[in-house]
Amino acid sequence: LMDPPARQDVDVGPRRCPKAASEPRDTIEHPQATRRARVAVCGAGWWTQERHLPHLSRNPLAEIVAIVEPNPTPRSAIVALQTTAELSVQYGAPIFSSIEELLASETSASVDGVLVCTSHHAHAHIGTASLRAGKHVLMEKPMCSDLAGAKALLAAAEAAAPLAFMVNNTANWQPQVQLATEAVASGLIGDVEHVMCCMHSPLLWLFDDPSNEGWTAPTGGMAGNGFGWGQLSHLLAWVFEVTKLEPVHVFASMTHSAASGADMTDAAVIRCITRDGKPASISLSGSATVPGNAHSADTAHSVGKRIELRLFGTDGMLTYGGDDQDRGSGRLELRTRSGEVTRLHGEFAFEDYEADGTGPESLQSFVKACIGQPYRNGADAWVGLQSVRAIETMYRSASSGRAEIVN
């Protein structure tokens, strides 16, 4: 194995590996800003109170200028939550009951960006309203949970350019994704023909409990709810960002929790096309039933999620996998059919769900976009749409017992 020096090309034959750049390849330039990003946070549930609000409050480049939450006493079966009145005092931000109320207020003029962390079915409405009002948007995954909403968000994001629209698939901001994307785009494995991807998570406590309604119960126009929307949206966003495949046909099978009704294990074969119209496929395996807890307060006994990705092309393959709480458990590796083996990155990293600090790189990029600094978009509206298309069709196929066409 060869470990390439940082920011140097590595000769692997007739083609060359991309640079292991410290800066993202698709940075978008804006004039440098000297003020803080003024962020409105929509939704005051578990993840907002445990992650987004604390992260933003610790970031010297950001300030929380509004919190949007219709329920004065947000509820969660996972942790005890603060009331909106308590949040207002703690973060020094006014409370609004809806995105419409915020956008109609005097506060709206001071909002640079909107972070959306509400129920899945509300994403499309809040996201499109925010974009049309001239706000940058960071949308929690999945981008939304119905196809019409996903298409509306893509159209709104395209119409609002150059405003940033990002989906919070934190794995897509890891440097390994940049390297994998560049390797595929530069033809180092040839045309992508097949992807094998697995995500096995210790999340029984989340998806097997009916009191976790936002994670287990379908709302709005959702075609089911559970591990597919809650976790496989991360895995598929990685695949679609790196490969640029488009799903066209899906056959899926799921097993469900007897207690909550959520899908607990998922298997799918997804027929795709490349951007050149060539056939390709994805085989997918997902499970919430790994014993343990990925979010244990007892970090010494926290159990990581197991990820495995293999991309097979006409000239070679990329492999990437490991335990997402152990960086030494895996690496990004390129193997060509002519016999070269190159280690593109020596560590494994996937989701970033650390509670401490100022948050994942996706949130950092959103803040940078809000204040006009260069930023990288690891999961844009196109990636979000492909993930929604694939997962929505998986649920339909699992329900019908037949292969289903992707709409």
Side-chain angles (χ1 to χ4, degrees), residues 7 19-24 178:
R7 302 191 64 83
K19 294 179 180 179
S22 59
E23 292 297 322
Q178 298 174 47

Side-chain angles (χ1 to χ4, degrees), residues 80-150:
L81 298 180
Q82 293 178 275
T83 67
T84 55
E86 291 168 336
L87 293 173
S88 180
V89 171
Q90 179 174 352
Y91 296 106
I95 304 297
F96 297 89
S97 63
S98 68
I99 189 66
E100 287 79 13
E101 183 184 9
L102 169 63
L103 296 177
S105 72
E106 293 181 358
T107 301
S108 178
S110 68
V111 174
D112 297 308
V114 177
L115 192 164
V116 183
C117 189
T118 63
S119 298
H120 302 335
H121 75 277
H123 286 187
H125 170 69
I126 296 172
T128 53
S130 300
L131 288 166
R132 289 168 182 166
K135 315 302 182 186
H136 302 282
V137 173
L138 176 61
M139 182 70 69
E140 259 303 341
K141 56 79 192 168
M143 184 168 83
C144 62
S145 53
D146 68 280
L147 188 57

Side-chain angles (χ1 to χ4, degrees), residues 388-402:
V388 171
R389 294 176 72 218
I391 295 170
E392 189 270 345
T393 312
M394 284 174 56
Y395 279 103
R396 286 194 286 114
S397 174
S399 177
S400 70
R402 303 186 301 269

Side-chain angles (χ1 to χ4, degrees), residues 23-24 34 37 40 68 111 141 167 169 192 196 205 239 260 283 297 304 323 329 360 377 379 389 402 404:
E23 292 297 322
T34 57
V68 180
V111 174
K141 56 79 192 168
V167 185
N169 295 114
V192 176
M196 184 282 293
W205 61 272
V239 171
S260 69
S283 63
D323 178 329
S329 63
N377 194 346
R389 294 176 72 218
R402 303 186 301 269
E404 297 284 352

Side-chain angles (χ1 to χ4, degrees), residues 52 138-144 165-174 177 199 228-241 350-352 360-363 376-385 387-388 391:
H52 292 317
L138 176 61
M139 182 70 69
E140 259 303 341
K141 56 79 192 168
M143 184 168 83
C144 62
F165 179 88
M166 310 173 183
V167 185
N168 197 35
N169 295 114
T170 58
N172 282 30
W173 272 262
Q174 302 287 3
V177 171
M199 184 174 193
W229 290 121
Q231 290 290 283
L232 294 179
S233 49
H234 283 300
L235 186 67
L236 286 168
W238 196 104
V239 171
F240 291 129
E241 168 66 10
F350 203 69
E351 289 179 73
D352 183 347
E361 187 57 39
S362 53
L363 184 59
R376 178 177 188 269
N377 194 346
D380 61 14
W382 182 88
V383 169
L385 173 62
S387 301
V388 171
I391 295 170

